Amino acid sequence: MTNSSTPLARPWMLVVAGGLVMGLALGVRHAQGIFLVPITVDRGWSREAFGFAIALQNLVWGLAQPFTGMIADRFGARRVIAAGLALYGLGLYGMAGADSLAGFNLAAGVGIGAALSATSFGVVYGALSRLVPAGQRSWALGLAGAVGGLGQFFLVPGAQGLIDQLGWMGALGALALLCALLLPCAIPLHDRPGQDPSASSGQSLRAALAEAFGHRGFWLLNFGFLACGFQLAFIASHLPAYVQDKGLSAGTAVAGLATIALANVAGTYVCGLLGGLYRRKHLLCILYLLRAAAMALFVLLPLSPASLYLFCAVMGFLWLGTVPLTNGLVSQVFGVRYITTLFGFVFFGHQLGAFFGVWLGGYVFEATRSYDLIWLSGIALGVIAAALHYPIDDREILRPAVPA
């Protein structure tokens, strides 16, 4: 069992390993948009068809996350992460070889969606929560998220470079190989089932789920996290088209996305640190209100490259700061014995919001030739999310210990 005497070198090693896994998983996902044009042109598919595969990926990721979490809580994160990396590589290879939409949806939507559930926040943060001493937990989650953010920042131009040199099929193959090369990163993330002082209560998984499902704050977290997924998926998928519709260049839009990825590195780390100093539910309230204000100002003020970059810097700083705070809040209230499973259920709300953010963005634009309604929805959801987080009871649940 990890305790306060754990040497500093080991938490650093765990954080770097987990951050690299998340950096690859989230970075490749963040770069999928640059494959849209070459794949649809070569295959003769519509952009809507490509977009459906990515929306399906988000939904499968959310649906799979609770069950992936159960497996990690039962057998340990190391096996799950290794299997996820292997599945990610197979999914990328399948994308390259798919010559039908059914095959592409299976590889990009189902395969990579399931792989993301095993290689991203839920499993990696769950392992770190169990392996790192409680006093260093906020630092570890924040720094791992920052390392993952760097992966997002570097993999976007890296993937574009691979496409330029190898073509889109070769680029997907190279990224699949990278998944295999990162398999050793799963080795240090060897948390053990029951690695939690609260496990002395002898609580079963069924009892933990009943406890969480009966806790009002757990559902408030679920509904609040839906707003996060909606906002981020809409912006990531539709911001380039929005700014080009307003007269800015495609290069300016790409620079805006890169600004988001870079600012996210600092923002995730800072939010993780603040989570160890202040009440996480209050930080989440502030974060959602700041997002709503940033989106409102962006839509109301005249659009220029300067206003775009400022908006992207602010949103990037607030981008994934919700994740270590939300994960930390779940572990704070319910303990870390079943943290991966419980966060998986909360994360489903996030991915449900992401599905609607991507899909409704396109649907509303086709119906109205404007994104205004979706921007207003994102602003309103930010205010609602802040209101939902404030009344959460964030006190730790104390359970009677059962003698060994």
Side-chain angles (χ1 to χ4, degrees):
M1 181 182 299
T2 305
N3 52 47
S4 58
S5 64
T6 301
L8 185 60
R10 180 161 174 76
W12 270 99
M13 179 177 65
L14 296 170
V15 165
V16 171
L20 287 174
V21 171
M22 287 199 302
L24 173 67
L26 299 176
V28 172
R29 173 179 175 265
H30 198 60
Q32 285 176 337
I34 66 177
F35 287 91
L36 185 152
V37 172
I39 289 179
T40 53
V41 169
D42 281 3
R43 297 300 192 198
W45 298 336
S46 68
R47 296 189 180 189
E48 180 184 0
F50 183 95
F52 176 79
I54 304 305
L56 178 63
Q57 180 187 107
N58 279 293
L59 192 59
V60 170
W61 182 5
L63 289 170
Q65 193 67 71
F67 302 101
T68 306
M70 290 179 191
I71 297 171
D73 285 335
R74 175 66 177 84
F75 298 103
R78 179 171 63 177
R79 297 177 182 178
V80 172
I81 291 170
L85 287 170
L87 182 59
Y88 213 134
L90 289 174
L92 291 168
Y93 185 78
M95 285 177 65
D99 55 6
S100 68
L101 283 174
F104 190 77
N105 286 333
L106 181 63
V110 178
I112 293 182
L116 280 164
S117 74
T119 54
S120 57
F121 315 112
V123 175
V124 173
Y125 278 175
L128 292 176
S129 293
R130 278 192 282 261
L131 290 168
V132 175
Q136 294 179 294
R137 193 173 294 155
S138 290
W139 162 83
L141 298 184
L143 187 57
V147 174
L150 281 174
Q152 288 182 282
F153 177 71
F154 286 115
L155 270 172
V156 172
Q160 184 61 64
L162 288 172
I163 293 174
D164 293 339
Q165 295 296 319
L166 306 174
W168 68 267
M169 295 179 69
L172 288 172
L175 292 173
L177 178 61
L178 186 57
C179 291
L181 293 177
L182 276 191
L183 280 170
C185 287
I187 295 174
L189 298 171
H190 184 35
D191 60 335
R192 298 173 179 83
Q195 192 163 343
D196 173 22
S198 69
S200 60
S201 65
Q203 187 184 40
S204 67
L205 174 59
R206 178 175 294 184
L209 291 175
E211 179 182 77
F213 291 166
H215 194 284
R216 179 169 174 260
F218 186 77
W219 293 108
L220 292 176
L221 272 178
N222 270 274
F223 293 128
F225 219 19
L226 185 147
C228 179
F230 183 96
Q231 292 170 333
L232 301 196
F234 165 67
I235 292 172
S237 299
H238 296 282
L239 182 65
Y242 173 79
V243 299
Q244 289 178 74
D245 290 343
K246 298 292 185 179
L248 299 185
S249 68
T252 303
V254 171
L257 289 181
T259 302
I260 288 176
L262 188 59
N264 173 55
V265 175
T268 304
Y269 181 59
V270 170
C271 286
L273 289 181
L274 291 176
L277 301 174
Y278 304 99
R279 293 179 75 175
R280 295 179 178 96
K281 71 170 190 175
H282 291 163
L283 292 172
L284 285 165
C285 289
I286 295 170
L287 191 151
Y288 282 114
L289 288 175
L290 288 176
R291 276 193 191 175
M295 294 172 71
L297 289 173
F298 179 63
V299 173
L300 291 174
L301 294 177
L303 182 63
S304 67
S307 69
L308 171 66
Y309 297 149
L310 179 60
F311 169 73
C312 290
V314 173
M315 284 300 299
F317 191 82
L318 305 171
W319 196 251
L320 291 180
T322 55
V323 179
L325 292 175
T326 301
N327 186 279
L329 191 55
V330 174
S331 63
Q332 172 185 326
V333 175
F334 301 102
V336 299
R337 172 65 182 91
Y338 297 107
I339 178 61
T340 316
T341 302
L342 297 181
F343 181 75
F345 280 100
V346 174
F347 191 71
F348 172 72
H350 183 282
Q351 291 309 100
L352 187 63
F355 177 86
F356 284 112
V358 174
W359 176 66
L360 283 178
Y363 179 83
V364 169
F365 180 80
E366 292 297 331
T368 66
R369 311 309 298 175
S370 170
Y371 286 110
D372 289 349
L373 184 59
I374 301 300
W375 282 114
L376 290 174
S377 299
I379 294 166
L381 284 172
V383 175
I384 292 171
L388 290 175
H389 280 81
Y390 189 79
I392 290 176
D393 183 357
D394 57 357
R395 292 173 297 177
E396 177 186 0
I397 295 177
L398 300 178
R399 310 178 188 94
V402 177

